[in-house]
Structure formats: C-alpha cells, structure tokens
Amino acid sequence: MLSSRMALRRLQRIAVAPLSFTSGATTKVQRDMSTLPRVYVTRQIPSEGLKILQDSGQVQFELWDSDDVPVPRKELLQKVKGVDGLLCVLTEKIDAELLDAAGSNLKVVSTMSVGFDHLSLEELKKRGIRVGYTPEVLTDAVAELTVALLLATSRRLIEATHEAKTGGWGTWRTLWLCGYELANSTVGILGLGRIGVAIAERLAPFKVKKFIYTDVAPRPELAKAINAEYVTLDELAKQSDFLSVCCALTPETKEICNTNLFSKMKNTSIFINTSRGGVVNQEDLYEALSTGQIAGAGLDVTVPEPLPTSHPLFTLKNCVILPHIASASYSTRNAMSALAANNLLLGLRSQPMIKELKL
Ligand SMILES: O=C(O)[C@H](O)CO
C-alpha cells in the first residue's frame, strides 16, 4: 500500500503530467486563455508553485522547461516581450535591457529567491514594476546548511572522508585531522537578519561562549533573541573564532571580506559564507587560506557560479566549497516556488503580495 506521502507525490505527478515538457524548449503550458495576463517563468520550478499558477485560471504562462540549463539570454529577451508578469530565479539578470525588451505591459517581477542582487531595483522602480521575493520560507534550510558547512569545515570532514577512502587512514594519531570546536568559542555574524539569528539559535546548544555581530547599525530586537553584542567590523574580525557571513550583496557589501578583514582574523578562525559570493574578494581569501592567515573557509556561494573546477580555491584542503545549496531541501524549494507563484498572482491582481520588496 502506498504511504500517504507517496500517494500525494504520485498525485502531484499526475497533476503535472499533462504538461509533459520537451527538454530544453520553451513550451506553452496553458490551454487557450488568450485574454488572460501573460506570464513567463524562467525555470522549471518545483511542482507546488507550478500547480498554483496552473490552477489559478488567472494567467496564461509559458516556462523554460529545464532545471539543468538556464534560459539563454537571447530566448529570454524574446519570450518576455509583452508579458504582464515574470517569475524568475537568481540566474536571470533583470536589468534595463530585459525590462526594455519586456515593454510597458510588465507589472510584476517575482523572484524565487530571498536574494535580489540579480534585480536592478532602480530600473524596476523607475518603471513602476512591483517585485516579489521569498524571505522566511528558506530561513531554516539555510541556517541548517550553514551549521553543516561550518562543522564540515572546522572539523575537516571532507578531508577526513577523503583520507579514509584513499588509504590515508593509518594508525590512530594524536593530532591528525584535528580541527576547531564550537564549545567556548566566539561566533561572529556579519549582517544580522533572520538567517543570522536562526544560525545562532542552532549553534548556541554547541556551548558557544559569545555571539557578536556587525551590521550597518545595531539591531537590538534581533540581537536580544540570541544575546549578541554589536561590534565594529574590525572587532568582529579580531574576536570571531567562527565568522559567518549573512549579509545581502549590495554596493556597500561588495568584497567587504578582503585582505583588510582576513588580516585581522585569528590564524585559528573559520570563515563561512552562505550569502553571496560577491561579498568576498576571492583572491584575498585564497591568500589568507594558503598562507595560514585563517584556518579554513566554507563557501556555499562563489563568483562566478559555477566556480570553474580549475579555480585555485579548489586546490586548498582548508576550503570547503558547495554549489549554492543552502536552501536546497524539497520542502523549502517547494515553499519558495509556491510563495513566488502567489506573489506573482497577487501582484497581477494589484493586491498586496505576501512578500513584496519595498522599492
Ligand atoms: O537567494 C536565495 O534565495 C538563495 O541564495 C537561494 O535559495
């Protein structure tokens, strides 16, 4: 007998099945509903979001029916012509060129992401286009992955499994594969928001001694929840045994993690980034890691993405690199797609979105 979960999955598949896409091509999804607002979806999003769009009867939509390759820019510029709404993911640059190509019908852009550095907010604002995004639904998944990455980096798990698999595991040794523990440590958070708080809440039971943070200004309400002290960026670098970057990528935070920061960190410190690759100067990070200025780095995000396999950071044992998977749990990605779809539909109905960016 099918478990209810499996049965549900099967039902979802059946519900989505009639769409049966041809790989790599843009496929018209709705039946003839030519008077309805037109929407372009730039990726094959998880089924919950697709189903909301399908069942709404409110829009006709086309989507780029692959999750493996992003829609080529040329096709995207073609497909957005005259659309009323756009549902995108973080690989699509929504800039003046694209908005010009879309034209004056475009009323709503809904991104299936909490980050919005791929959106030219100024251009969107200028054109009166509303923007939806997906904060909160991914907080738990991102915090969980950040903790996993921090532990994998500080306790050298990737190196250790490699050694075990490739014959490096000799006798038990007193200092072999030693790392750094969270107990009695100071954890620093660069950019305290919901995700930073969620990370700290998960790390606290590891007996962290102190949480510190920096941001453009103190955030007492959030800091109170985790008993974190506000410090300057310099102090954050100096005091942190673990420094976790949680800030958005903006002109102000671009490459904020550079030699200036790394040179102030302890040789025993671990640097973790699950926000955006652009906040780090990767040459400076390579230097800091390869010279032992800092002990290790765990990165879920890089510039560019994917990071070429020939990149020098991949040669370092003390650098753990993940392919931008912080929010990658089935439930979270489905929730993100549902929120993005609902934001889009609400925006097109000129109603308040569930999560709308103030421009
Ligand atoms: O911005 C986001 O949503 C994350 O980086 C991917 O989930």
Side-chain angles (χ1 to χ4, degrees), residues 242-257:
F242 298 87
L243 198 163
S244 180
V245 184
C246 304
C247 60
L249 174 61
T250 64
E252 292 73 37
T253 61
K254 189 167 190 296
E255 300 196 0
I256 194 171
C257 303

Side-chain angles (χ1 to χ4, degrees), residues 209-220:
K209 186 177 68 197
K210 189 177 171 189
F211 288 105
I212 54 178
Y213 75 101
T214 199
D215 210 310
V216 279
R219 308 198 65 182

Side-chain angles (χ1 to χ4, degrees), residues 90 112-116 134 138 142 274-276 301 324 326-327 333 336:
L90 51 80
M112 191 188 127
S113 63
V114 64
F116 44 83
T134 63
L138 47 60
V142 173
T274 49
S275 66
R276 283 291 184 267
V301 283
H324 203 150
S327 65
R333 288 288 168 83
M336 289 167 73

